[in-house]
Amino acid sequence: MRSRATAFPLVAVLGWGVMFPILASALDRVDPLNLTTARYLLAAVVLVAILLLREGAGALRHGGRALEVVVLGVVGFAGFNLLTNLALEHAAPQQISLFVATTPVITQLVRWARDGVRPKPLLLALSLVALLGVGLVITRGSLAGLGQFGLGGLMMIGAVLGWGIYTHGASRFGEWSPLRFTTLTALSGTAAMLGLSIGADAVGWQHAPATADLVAVAPQLAYAVLVGAVIAVLAWNTGVQRLGAANAALFMNLVPVTTFAVQIARGYRPEPVELVGAAITIAALIAANLAARPRTTSLPRPSAVTDPIAVTDPVAVSAR
């Protein structure tokens, strides 16, 4: 039974790892803000439909917690996904995926800042090692490559921090189902992205995509919505519930591996130092997850929303 449960987080991380190159290819035709907005408008429709079928119209009420839902939706969904898509204009997908893989460590740091729960010194040391690995991939081992970090790297730091805040905030909604929390925060984040898109189009910062452009990226959009924002996230939350968040979080380290594999299959030839950097990051993150696991003989069965160590979709993440 336990071996079958591992299939759920595996499906999720594989879907997310493939998504970064797919989103990067769509940015050739549609700007990041409009692409993100279109993606979550469609995903929100799907999520609302599922929520209505499973829990009824009453689940759409905020229960007096509208402000929290809006803040987390804007920071988590709008902030993370918009910054990620913007970063893909400045950095390669494999670089972006390594930043996303630091989400478990960032979540622990958010807990330290907000709740005073200090991470283990070993966890902090491993987080620095993981960032060193990211630096090797981005700079290719040369100080002259530091300029490549630039804006894309800063955006991803903001994106992962926003998702860490979102993940931590989710622990306060233990009485809600993961589907309800995901749907309501996704609606708030989508509304914020829609407002930004309309404003940016109005002032000429970007231009609303033509129908031909949307048709051209329809395959990428379909994957990002159905696989990345619905199937993968539902599979992830199921895996977290059956395995526990600490065990499921280990699968998150497969995201950059998957992205690197996709890029190599598309013709990218990484330099040895990039592979070394990726290996360092992944090894450090696995060690960090092991260090963060509670020492207990029985595995709890928390929901994906109540466990503060849980990690969700860095990109679609739509359905936590």
Side-chain angles (χ1 to χ4, degrees), residues 102-178:
T102 64
T103 303
V105 174
I106 295 297
T107 302
Q108 293 296 312
L109 297 179
V110 171
R111 290 184 69 212
W112 185 12
R114 298 194 63 179
D115 298 339
V117 181
R118 185 172 182 172
K120 300 176 182 179
L122 176 60
L123 183 63
L124 293 178
L126 289 171
S127 67
L128 293 176
V129 173
L131 290 177
L132 173 63
V134 173
L136 286 176
V137 174
I138 292 175
T139 64
R140 297 185 178 182
S142 172
L143 292 178
L146 287 174
Q148 297 181 23
F149 178 84
L151 190 56
L154 291 175
M155 287 178 177
M156 282 312 301
I157 290 175
V160 175
L161 178 59
W163 195 251
I165 293 172
Y166 176 86
T167 302
H168 174 270
S171 64
R172 298 193 296 270
F173 288 79
E175 71 279 14
W176 288 16
S177 70

Side-chain angles (χ1 to χ4, degrees), residues 36 71-86 155-156 158-163 189-190 192-193 196 314:
T36 307
V71 170
L72 291 175
V74 171
V75 171
F77 275 89
F80 175 82
N81 290 285
L82 177 57
L83 286 173
T84 298
N85 276 359
L86 287 170
M155 287 178 177
M156 282 312 301
V160 175
L161 178 59
W163 195 251
T190 301
M193 287 184 279
L196 284 173

Side-chain angles (χ1 to χ4, degrees), residues 16-293:
W16 292 332
V18 171
M19 187 167 58
F20 288 104
I22 289 176
L23 287 177
S25 67
L27 292 173
D28 293 335
R29 298 294 296 267
V30 182
D31 66 83
L33 182 51
N34 277 315
L35 180 64
T36 307
T37 301
R39 178 185 171 202
Y40 278 97
L41 280 172
L42 295 172
V45 171
V46 176
L47 288 171
V48 168
I50 296 174
L51 182 63
L52 290 175
L53 287 173
R54 303 239 359 218
E55 301 185 27
L60 291 173
R61 300 191 182 99
H62 292 87
R65 309 184 72 175
L67 181 59
E68 288 180 272
V69 169
V70 169
V71 170
L72 291 175
V74 171
V75 171
F77 275 89
F80 175 82
N81 290 285
L82 177 57
L83 286 173
T84 298
N85 276 359
L86 287 170
L88 282 169
E89 288 193 321
H90 302 276
Q94 63 270 22
Q95 298 172 355
I96 298 302
S97 67
L98 284 172
F99 277 101
V100 173
T102 64
T103 303
V105 174
I106 295 297
T107 302
Q108 293 296 312
L109 297 179
V110 171
R111 290 184 69 212
W112 185 12
R114 298 194 63 179
D115 298 339
V117 181
R118 185 172 182 172
K120 300 176 182 179
L122 176 60
L123 183 63
L124 293 178
L126 289 171
S127 67
L128 293 176
V129 173
L131 290 177
L132 173 63
V134 173
L136 286 176
V137 174
I138 292 175
T139 64
R140 297 185 178 182
S142 172
L143 292 178
L146 287 174
Q148 297 181 23
F149 178 84
L151 190 56
L154 291 175
M155 287 178 177
M156 282 312 301
I157 290 175
V160 175
L161 178 59
W163 195 251
I165 293 172
Y166 176 86
T167 302
H168 174 270
S171 64
R172 298 193 296 270
F173 288 79
E175 71 279 14
W176 288 16
S177 70
L179 176 60
R180 182 184 180 188
F181 177 77
T182 297
T183 303
L184 294 185
T185 51
L187 286 173
S188 299
T190 301
M193 287 184 279
L194 181 60
L196 284 173
S197 290
I198 293 174
D201 290 338
V203 301
W205 179 38
Q206 63 180 22
H207 300 285
T211 302
D213 292 325
L214 292 176
V215 171
V217 301
Q220 296 98 311
L221 203 54
Y223 182 94
V225 171
L226 297 178
V227 178
V230 178
I231 294 175
V233 180
L234 291 177
W236 175 256
N237 285 334
T238 302
V240 170
Q241 289 179 345
R242 296 189 181 188
L243 295 174
N247 286 309
L250 291 173
F251 287 85
M252 205 64 184
N253 299 294
L254 292 176
V255 171
V257 175
T258 304
T259 302
F260 263 85
V262 171
Q263 290 296 85
I264 291 172
R266 297 176 64 193
Y268 177 74
R269 293 295 175 261
E271 296 182 7
V273 70
E274 292 181 81
L275 296 178
V276 171
I280 290 174
T281 296
I282 293 167
L285 292 171
I286 290 175
N289 275 293
L290 289 173
R293 289 174 60 180

